[in-house]
Amino acid sequence: MPSLDRRRFLRDAAATTALVSAGGLAAGAATPAQAATPAAAPTPTARRRGAVSFRWWGTAGWRVDISDRTVLVDPFLSRIDTGLFTGAFQTATPLTVRADLIDPRVDRAMTVLVTHTHWDHFMDVPHIAKRTGARVFGTLTAYHLGLAYGLPSTQLSAVKGGEVLDFGDHSVEVVGSLHSRNPSYSVAFPGVRVTQPPQPATIADLPEGDTLGYLLRVDGGPSVYFTGASDVAERNLTGLSPDVAMVAMQSATTTGDYLPRLLAGLDYPKVIVPVHYDNFETPLENPPTVADTDRARLTEMIAAVRRISPRSRVLVPEYETAYHF
């Protein structure tokens, strides 16, 4: 039996079939928390096991509630209009943080995981970190951008891949990854920040800044891999074998064999959740708004996943719905 099949057989024999259930989340139900004082690094402690829920916030954004702790991934709730989906993309669009949209949804956060620093992944993070005291994990670029927004260095953790961070009832493994390429084989707003820049003013001031993935392992619960862009360094995925993978949809075909390499590298997860398929410049309302071309790509992606990994379940998420794996 090939090694990949053997690993999958052993894992499936030891684990029950993933159970996915959904429940609604009222967008305005959360009571905004008072601004918290930035905390020191979370200390691993013994925690009681509790329910784990995953709520999609559009793009590659997630809210994960683990008992009484909240982990955010690429939280982008302002959903500002840059003209990207209308063919009139404005690179000088001001970074307008919508506290009225963010605060009712972010009543608490312990950590924020940033895959990369494009505006649709990072621009709301400083506001959330200041409001909740959450620790921000990301690339060195994310670290320096955090400083530019006035976050203290004690609230920022630069990571680059390979780190395994222990939070007691869950752990986070950082995985070096890659950003997708557009039809011209380029990355929008390329570059890194190796020193503190001026505070960003427009979306062009937030470069890609290198890209990461994150594997969240919950004690007594699922292991879930989060992507923020549709490219993959598959050699960095060896041994991760998550139960669930949040997989960014491709917007161009310039990355060769993206899904076959990603799914094989992750050992064909039991549940595949497409993300970054929505029009993230429209309100966060169900059903998600999807551009016609992106709807066709999503259909093709689902068909490709079913062909490449027929034992995987495909779950197309809706906004702010609690999923339990």
Side-chain angles (χ1 to χ4, degrees), residues 31-119:
T31 301
Q34 296 298 318
T37 301
T43 301
T45 56
R47 309 286 296 188
R48 66 178 178 84
R49 294 181 182 179
V52 184
S53 65
F54 297 77
R55 292 176 172 89
W56 184 47
W57 275 346
T59 323
W62 288 89
R63 171 174 175 151
V64 184
D65 289 298
I66 306 169
S67 188
D68 59 349
R69 293 174 159 189
T70 297
V71 178
L72 305 181
V73 182
D74 284 1
F76 175 60
L77 294 164
S78 292
R79 300 171 72 87
I80 59 174
D81 183 4
T82 69
L84 180 64
F85 290 85
T86 62
F89 185 46
Q90 299 294 322
T91 61
T93 301
L95 293 167
T96 306
V97 174
R98 295 286 305 276
D100 59 316
L101 299 176
I102 299 168
D103 293 354
R105 293 176 167 92
V106 186
D107 56 322
R108 66 184 189 187
M110 185 187 76
T111 53
V112 180
L113 309 178
V114 177
T115 64
H116 64 285
T117 51
H118 278 152
W119 84 96

Side-chain angles (χ1 to χ4, degrees), residues 225 227 245-249 258-259 262-263 272-276 301:
Y225 185 67
T227 68
M246 313 305 194
V247 177
M249 184 185 73
Y258 164 60
L259 283 174
L262 176 65
L263 298 183
I272 307 295
V273 182
V275 296
H276 222 323
M301 176 182 178

Side-chain angles (χ1 to χ4, degrees), residues 150-279:
L151 291 173
S153 60
T154 53
Q155 203 176 343
L156 299 165
S157 293
V159 290
K160 57 185 177 181
E163 299 90 347
V164 180
L165 311 168
D166 184 2
F167 297 96
D169 58 354
H170 67 280
S171 67
V172 174
E173 183 167 350
V174 187
V175 181
S177 191
L178 299 168
H179 196 278
S180 49
R181 303 263 161 180
N182 60 29
S184 300
Y185 297 88
S186 299
V187 175
F189 308 143
V192 298
R193 297 289 181 264
V194 296
T195 59
Q196 179 180 332
Q199 181 171 322
T202 71
I203 62 171
D205 295 330
L206 293 178
E208 177 255 338
D210 294 330
T211 295
L212 301 169
Y214 294 94
L215 178 68
L216 173 69
R217 293 188 180 96
V218 179
D219 185 21
S223 59
V224 181
Y225 185 67
F226 296 91
T227 68
S230 54
D231 200 350
V232 56
E234 68 268 31
R235 292 170 182 82
N236 293 341
L237 305 179
T238 302
L240 297 184
S241 298
D243 300 310
V244 184
M246 313 305 194
V247 177
M249 184 185 73
Q250 277 188 302
S251 60
T253 59
T254 48
T255 296
D257 295 326
Y258 164 60
L259 283 174
R261 292 188 294 117
L262 176 65
L263 298 183
L266 293 174
D267 199 8
Y268 306 103
K270 293 176 183 177
V271 182
I272 307 295
V273 182
V275 296
H276 222 323
Y277 68 81
D278 61 321
N279 179 340

